Amino acid sequence: MTNTYWSADTYMLEHLPPKMRTKIHDTPEGCWEWTGAITSKGYGSIGHEGRRLSSHRLSYELLVGEIPDGLHLDHLCRNRRCCNPEHLEPVPQRTNTLRGVSFAAENAVKTHCRHGHEYTEANTYVDSRGSRSCKTCRQASHRKRAA
């Protein structure tokens, strides 16, 4: 999608199509909060040129340009309804996930297993899906099963 609405260096609500602009509330924090339809995951949703799109993706594409292949838009403000391109950053999916508050993000920052063993290169097993576990605990579990 090409930027047909503006060519300035700053992003302004006035540069969005009227249909979209009327469904955005500019908050004191600088978020452009979507007030239209919301998906079950909390993202804004809008029909545009015969397609149903996420409001933050459409705003970014109209005001900034195409989202590079393989990248996802991360809400730096952590507000899923925000459409402000200044609050959106194209990043790999893993980066977006780890910056969030998901189960994967919580586990990624852990430095020790639940039994207190440190996750070091020598003491960490990583499986084919990228999940990690404590080698000390794995070995103890294997010994217990073998006994």
Side-chain angles (χ1 to χ4, degrees):
M1 182 172 302
T2 57
N3 171 353
T4 57
Y5 293 97
W6 76 298
S7 61
D9 290 328
T10 53
Y11 308 118
M12 297 177 65
L13 281 171
E14 293 76 23
H15 296 137
L16 289 172
K19 175 185 174 185
M20 186 172 192
R21 193 170 55 237
T22 61
K23 295 181 181 177
I24 294 174
H25 169 68
D26 192 0
T27 71
E29 298 80 23
C31 289
W32 295 356
E33 200 162 88
W34 185 252
T35 62
I38 304 294
T39 68
S40 61
K41 293 185 178 183
Y43 294 97
S45 178
I46 184 172
H48 182 75
E49 296 179 353
R51 298 181 359 209
R52 175 75 34 198
L53 302 168
S54 295
S55 57
H56 67 286
R57 292 181 61 87
L58 179 59
S59 173
Y60 188 92
E61 290 180 355
L62 292 174
L63 298 177
V64 179
E66 288 189 27
I67 301 162
D69 286 342
L71 298 184
H72 297 248
L73 291 179
D74 181 20
H75 285 85
L76 301 174
C77 57
R78 312 283 21 118
N79 180 355
R80 292 181 175 183
R81 292 170 50 178
C82 182
C83 303
N84 185 342
E86 291 180 2
H87 293 192
L88 303 171
E89 179 184 12
V91 296
Q93 181 177 1
R94 178 168 172 77
T95 301
N96 193 11
T97 300
L98 295 179
R99 284 180 177 175
V101 291
S102 67
F103 182 71
E106 286 180 22
N107 279 331
V109 298
K110 290 181 181 176
T111 58
H112 292 73
C113 76
R114 64 182 169 154
H115 297 289
H117 304 119
E118 187 175 7
Y119 283 125
T120 63
E121 191 171 329
N123 190 44
T124 305
Y125 171 76
V126 181
D127 70 17
S128 60
R129 296 176 310 159
S131 295
R132 67 182 177 165
S133 59
C134 171
K135 285 185 180 179
T136 303
C137 291
R138 283 175 56 90
Q139 290 166 352
S141 176
H142 288 260
R143 280 194 300 275
K144 191 175 183 179
R145 275 186 287 194

